[in-house]
Amino acid sequence: MPSPMRAIFGLFHRHRNLSCAKVSSKNNLEVWHFMIEYENGIHIKGTGLWLDARRKADFCFVSHAHFDHAVRHTEILATKETARLCEHRFGKAKFNILEYNCPKKLKGVRVELFPSGHTLGGAQILMEKGGTRIVYTGDFKLRKSLTAKKAEIKRCDILIMESTFGLPRYVFPPLREVEARMTEFVKKTQANGKVPIFLAYSLGKAQEAMKILSNRGYKLSVHAMIYKIAKIYEEFGVKLANYELYQGGSMDGRVLIAPPQAKRSRMIENISRKRIAILTGWALDAGANNHVRGDEAIPLSDHADFSELIQYVKKAQPKKIYTVHGFADFARFLRERGFNAETLKESTKVKKTFNKELLVNYDLFA
Ligand SMILES: [Zn+2]
């Protein structure tokens, strides 16, 4: 048993890829054990719950419908918006739908979903058992979104958080500056008689870009993948305007939005006079546009930047933090700030079972 003063400790088991956190309540009357397994997704052992598993699981929480998080499991716990988007992406599945902030007992655990600010229906999950609160964030951002509910932060004992932009150099400019750069790009490109093209991930980022540009009165043509998801956003009350499905034809006075993989398609190659901007948080890195041979990279991201990651931890006040999906150094930055943090390391077996290409595509445009 740990001493009463030593409320928490973390232990990483290298061979089984398990991390074990023991957390005692403040009065030290109870000690709770949680085993966090990380292999193709996160499994809280003893709860029967998987979190964003990347291979089929019996029962899994899917935080949002991006391909690096969503798989067709036997049963999926998700918001109704994420369920709809999952169905669109991989067909029918058995869903256990939970609204934001409506706690429910599932698999012997009290679970509650709450907004992540990442996509329409994107959710974090709070799991509570015996007075210990575990939060898994999935992908999130704290900045304002025009198309997703603002993220919430709940206090917890154990926090499992994404850390995609977990280095101090990744601090994004205010949204109004990003919007001004997008507007400037359109104006300059059209003034030179060229077609402005934005490359944005088809779920979430593209609809955010549509909203930003249509709010400024621009007429939009969008790729079919983006168009179909925009229609689902509208089903759930997100108002998108001034857009049509791109089917070729004149692009005079119009702006094209396409997913990154369309860059090398005939659809874009057939537009002879054009300038291409990629929308990604990695735009803060010099030469980010070279990844897809674009003309410009603009830092519109659906992830938290470094300052938001720190802000999140300060507000959640966890006793133990596990970081996932990002720079291992982020855990060190947290420790330097006095937090008990470590990186959750993934099994080497993952490389054999996980479609890395999907992750690479997404990560490049985070
Ligand atoms: Zn995501």
Side-chain angles (χ1 to χ4, degrees):
M1 289 284 286
S3 77
M5 294 300 291
R6 193 178 172 204
I8 303 163
F9 72 90
L11 178 66
F12 181 67
H13 299 263
R14 185 178 303 162
H15 300 296
R16 299 181 62 204
N17 289 290
L18 299 174
S19 290
C20 170
K22 278 187 178 180
V23 178
S24 68
S25 59
K26 279 181 186 163
N27 58 15
N28 295 309
L29 292 175
E30 296 166 308
V31 178
W32 300 101
H33 300 256
F34 283 91
M35 301 292 287
I36 301 168
E37 185 178 26
Y38 190 29
E39 186 183 307
N40 273 308
I42 296 161
H43 182 210
I44 312 287
K45 288 179 89 76
T47 70
L49 247 182
W50 279 83
L51 313 173
D52 283 342
R54 296 190 300 248
R55 67 180 171 202
K56 190 169 180 175
D58 284 342
F59 191 84
C60 186
F61 164 63
V62 171
S63 63
H64 64 290
H66 281 154
F67 277 129
D68 54 330
H69 292 256
V71 165
R72 191 196 288 175
H73 303 287
T74 307
E75 189 172 357
I76 293 172
L77 171 65
T79 62
K80 61 181 184 305
E81 295 90 346
T82 292
R84 176 74 181 86
L85 289 162
C86 281
E87 269 190 356
H88 168 69
R89 302 196 109 181
F90 56 62
K92 293 273 179 206
K94 184 180 178 191
F95 291 100
N96 197 320
I97 303 290
L98 204 51
E99 301 290 317
Y100 291 137
N101 299 308
C102 292
K104 186 177 180 182
K105 197 145 190 187
L106 282 172
K107 305 284 177 191
V109 187
R110 180 190 180 273
V111 301
E112 183 177 346
L113 307 188
F114 57 106
S116 65
H118 182 61
T119 58
L120 173 73
Q124 309 176 65
I125 184 169
L126 166 67
M127 296 157 285
E128 198 169 355
K129 191 177 182 182
T132 297
R133 291 159 65 90
I134 303 181
V135 164
Y136 166 65
T137 64
D139 292 346
F140 74 94
K141 75 165 183 291
L142 301 182
R143 303 182 308 286
K144 183 183 159 195
S145 167
L146 302 178
T147 55
K149 258 196 163 166
K150 190 168 170 46
E152 295 173 16
I153 301 174
K154 293 191 187 290
R155 286 182 69 159
C156 58
D157 301 297
I158 298 172
L159 175 64
I160 307 167
M161 71 184 303
E162 70 122 328
S163 55
T164 304
F165 290 106
L167 295 181
R169 71 169 180 268
Y170 295 113
V171 174
F172 301 135
L175 186 60
R176 65 177 182 282
E177 274 181 40
V178 175
E179 292 176 357
R181 276 191 62 182
M182 290 172 66
T183 308
E184 196 59 21
F185 176 81
V186 174
K187 278 186 190 162
K188 275 189 181 168
T189 304
Q190 290 182 334
N192 289 327
K194 295 180 178 177
V195 177
I197 300 174
F198 288 99
L199 297 182
Y201 193 81
S202 58
L203 166 55
K205 184 82 66 73
Q207 289 71 33
E208 193 78 8
M210 288 171 69
K211 189 82 174 170
I212 290 169
L213 294 165
S214 65
N215 279 353
R216 281 156 182 74
Y218 291 113
K219 290 179 188 153
L220 311 174
S221 295
V222 303
H223 185 279
M225 283 171 69
I226 293 170
Y227 183 85
K228 288 173 189 164
I229 292 173
K231 290 294 170 196
I232 296 174
Y233 268 59
E234 288 182 323
E235 276 175 33
F236 289 97
V238 177
K239 290 190 171 64
L240 298 166
N242 284 346
Y243 74 100
E244 64 180 27
L245 175 65
Y246 180 65
Q247 294 173 300
S250 169
M251 282 296 293
D252 270 2
R254 304 190 71 85
V255 177
L256 180 62
I257 305 177
Q261 61 268 41
K263 165 72 174 57
R264 290 182 294 269
S265 69
R266 198 170 296 167
M267 167 190 168
I268 287 183
E269 280 176 359
N270 282 348
I271 300 172
S272 54
R273 289 177 57 76
K274 58 183 175 267
R275 288 192 81 235
I276 296 175
I278 61 168
L279 299 174
T280 170
W282 304 115
L284 297 184
D285 286 334
N289 51 326
N290 292 333
H291 287 304
V292 289
R293 296 188 183 152
D295 298 297
E296 196 166 328
I298 298 174
L300 181 70
S301 179
D302 41 20
H303 284 263
D305 68 5
F306 184 80
S307 61
E308 289 166 81
L309 292 170
I310 298 289
Q311 186 189 335
Y312 192 110
V313 171
K314 284 182 176 170
K315 209 164 168 193
Q317 297 186 20
K319 300 181 180 85
K320 178 76 192 179
I321 303 153
Y322 294 108
T323 66
V324 289
H325 302 314
F327 295 103
D329 277 350
F330 182 61
R332 178 170 60 81
F333 289 121
L334 287 173
R335 289 196 295 276
E336 286 170 3
R337 286 163 174 78
F339 297 105
N340 182 346
E342 68 182 273
T343 304
L344 203 54
K345 291 195 177 125
E346 189 147 29
S347 164
T348 50
K349 279 190 266 175
V350 167
K351 287 175 186 136
K352 293 174 195 164
T353 56
F354 176 52
N355 183 346
K356 283 200 294 184
E357 190 158 338
L358 292 173
L359 182 61
V360 169
N361 277 342
Y362 179 70
D363 273 2
L364 188 57
F365 292 90

